[in-house]
Amino acid sequence: MRWPTSPYSGGRCTWCGPASRCDTPPTPRPSQEIPMHSESATVFRNVRPYGAEKPQDLTVVDGVFTDSPAPSGARVVDGEGRIALPTLVDAHIHPDKTAWGEPWVTRNPASSIAGYTAEDVKLHHALRTPLKERAQRLMGHAVTRGTRAMRAHVDVAPAYGLAGVEGVGAARRALRHALDVEIVAFPQHGVVRAPGTRELLEEAVRTGAVDRVGGIDPIGFDEALDEQLDVVFSIADRHGAGVDIHLHERAGTGLESLRAIIARTRALSLQGKVTVSHVFCVPGLPERELDALAAGLAEAGISLTTVAPSSDLVLPIERLREHGVHVGLGSDGVRDSWSPFGDADMLHRAHLLARVQDARLDEELEAAFRAGADDGAHLLGLARADLRPGSPADFLLVRGECLPQVVVDLPRRELVVRGGRIVARDGELVGG
């Protein structure tokens, strides 16, 4: 294949067409030396990276793209002119709670975190399908829609013990050929207000069953700012784990919690290992205050995630990105006790992000896609899948005109590829 020196030349993207102005070019990577013969080589013929006008061939050897000639005996897959796009990363999802694929669940009224968590427990006991099977069903569905990795928040509380961690862990092992999964031990019922939770968090992290320890609304829900954060950060520090804290608190309360998280991240030198999810206190901040806060987050290496819930609660992603703050995009709950909605389809989530941002221009639609692909990969420590030589061959094929149109129209994911191997076709998992 012949790669352009830069797809972002002269203010237009040579992949997406003259109407596009992509502002975050992928980092060029050196060509990879490959053997003349390889059993793990595939040529994906006649595809259009990012909607390029002219089809080209993508050559994969040992799971990564190369610009060297394909070795003899390479497998050939005809893309039939479809658009090739990187697969996406779900930076925030709760697969342990899901009723996806189960008989319809009628939900009861709830208006507070305590009320929703009580409904979680009821649903947990009402569902007859084992948690591992439900989680694996949802996670596998995500793969078929073009997800290559996810950060799974799994409830850890006396009401469940570590059943959720064990179930999602089993699902992660079953899908390891198709999906990277980080697991967060998430204290949905609170760290301090639910006695026994801190011991469960410690056990989950100590045994290596999870990758991160979570927290939730230290002031508004747990009513113990210092005590909760001391527990969460001390566990992470002792065991070398990451942190991901749900922060639904708004206005001054949320900012107080967020500044305390920044201070502890700096004090323990956990830069690059801490994420704060939702962060409803940030949208709507005056520009000067937002810029100062963003500078503090960037200096501490703290990332954020949003699930694009509404126009007034979605994070100002572009402004944060200007300061060097990475913002991942996630599904949140999927058909659980909190909501009947959700589908674990990250292309759909990028569509929703664009809608709540009132996106209209091509570059705005493309930016919504990048939030689900590039920033999510950064949060999970994954190589950026940008379809260029040296990058992982993780991509999907769809029929369409260009990337902005794909974000709007959400075409069927006809082929999903992980490391050069086809893992889903026409909505169904293959291989294993």
Side-chain angles (χ1 to χ4, degrees):
M1 64 185 168
R2 184 179 179 86
W3 294 91
T5 302
S6 171
Y8 303 90
S9 56
R12 68 186 291 276
C13 178
T14 58
W15 286 346
C16 303
S20 174
R21 293 197 306 275
C22 302
D23 56 2
T24 308
T27 302
R29 295 180 173 88
S31 302
Q32 212 185 32
E33 294 297 326
I34 61 172
M36 291 303 295
H37 299 271
S38 175
E39 296 180 357
S40 59
T42 305
V43 178
F44 292 88
R45 185 156 291 163
N46 192 24
V47 300
R48 296 186 293 126
Y50 292 96
E53 294 179 6
K54 294 183 179 180
Q56 50 193 261
D57 296 346
L58 301 181
T59 300
V60 179
V61 175
D62 294 332
V64 299
F65 289 113
T66 178
D67 57 0
S68 299
S72 60
R75 180 185 177 207
V76 176
V77 176
D78 188 358
E80 299 180 348
R82 297 179 182 91
I83 294 176
L85 296 172
T87 42
L88 299 105
V89 175
D90 194 327
H92 188 106
I93 188 171
H94 295 265
D96 61 315
K97 298 175 184 285
T98 192
W100 182 265
E102 298 295 296
W104 180 254
V105 172
T106 298
R107 290 155 185 84
N108 299 314
S111 58
S112 66
I113 292 177
Y116 284 118
T117 57
E119 291 302 310
D120 284 340
V121 175
K122 293 177 185 177
L123 183 60
H124 173 81
H125 291 296
L127 294 171
R128 296 306 176 199
T129 303
L131 189 153
K132 182 259 182 183
E133 293 181 23
R134 289 187 285 108
Q136 184 175 332
R137 178 195 295 153
L138 179 66
M139 292 156 67
H141 169 76
V143 171
T144 70
R145 295 304 185 265
T147 293
R148 70 173 176 129
M150 62 175 53
R151 181 176 290 172
H153 294 261
V154 180
D155 282 9
V156 170
Y160 314 110
L162 296 179
V165 169
E166 294 163 0
V168 174
R172 171 168 66 176
R173 291 190 294 274
L175 292 168
R176 62 185 178 273
H177 68 288
L179 186 69
D180 284 319
V181 181
E182 265 192 11
I183 299 178
V184 182
F186 174 48
Q188 177 74 82
H189 295 193
V191 176
V192 176
R193 66 183 286 156
T197 298
R198 66 183 71 191
E199 291 80 9
L200 288 168
L201 294 173
E202 180 88 41
E203 181 181 355
V205 177
R206 178 185 58 78
T207 59
V210 302
D211 306 284
R212 292 177 178 260
V213 58
I216 181 171
D217 294 347
I219 300 174
F221 183 58
D222 232 1
E223 300 180 344
L225 173 65
D226 291 330
E227 188 175 358
Q228 182 191 126
L229 294 184
D230 285 348
V231 169
V232 170
F233 276 86
S234 63
I235 291 174
D237 186 44
R238 277 197 300 277
H239 300 289
V243 173
D244 194 325
I245 296 177
H246 283 53
L247 195 62
H248 310 96
E249 298 166 350
R250 305 192 192 187
T253 300
L255 291 173
E256 182 180 355
S257 292
L258 187 55
R259 290 181 178 121
I261 292 168
I262 293 172
R264 280 169 171 77
T265 302
R266 289 171 172 163
L268 294 172
S269 298
L270 291 176
Q271 286 89 343
K273 301 186 71 172
V274 176
T275 301
V276 187
S277 296
H278 303 307
V279 214
F280 293 156
C281 59
V282 169
L285 282 177
E287 285 191 7
R288 181 175 296 181
E289 190 172 358
L290 174 60
D291 289 344
L293 182 64
L297 290 166
E299 190 275 332
I302 294 175
S303 300
L304 309 179
T305 62
T306 184
V307 299
S310 62
S311 59
D312 61 325
L313 292 178
V314 67
L315 290 172
I317 295 175
E318 291 302 317
R319 191 62 175 256
L320 290 163
R321 185 182 282 146
E322 289 173 6
H323 287 276
V325 180
H326 293 271
V327 182
L329 181 65
S331 293
D332 208 7
V334 178
R335 203 162 297 182
D336 54 18
S337 66
W338 291 61
S339 172
F341 297 103
D343 56 11
D345 182 338
M346 283 302 297
L347 186 57
H348 185 205
R349 185 60 52 168
H351 170 102
L352 293 175
L353 173 62
R355 291 199 70 165
V356 301
Q357 292 179 324
D358 196 25
R360 177 173 168 271
L361 305 179
D362 281 3
E363 56 262 35
E364 294 170 336
L365 295 165
E366 293 164 2
F369 180 86
R370 290 202 307 274
D374 300 340
D375 281 337
H378 178 87
L379 261 66
L380 270 68
L382 301 174
R384 182 172 169 178
D386 55 18
L387 309 183
R388 295 182 65 81
S391 70
D394 298 343
F395 64 99
L396 56 90
L397 294 182
V398 295
R399 297 185 187 274
E401 297 177 57
C402 59
L403 175 53
Q405 178 261 330
V406 168
V407 172
V408 170
D409 287 345
L410 302 175
R412 180 165 54 101
R413 282 17 73 83
E414 298 189 19
L415 212 65
V416 180
V417 179
R418 161 75 184 270
R421 297 178 181 273
I422 297 171
V423 293
R425 189 190 302 270
D426 293 329
E428 299 292 333
L429 289 173
V430 298

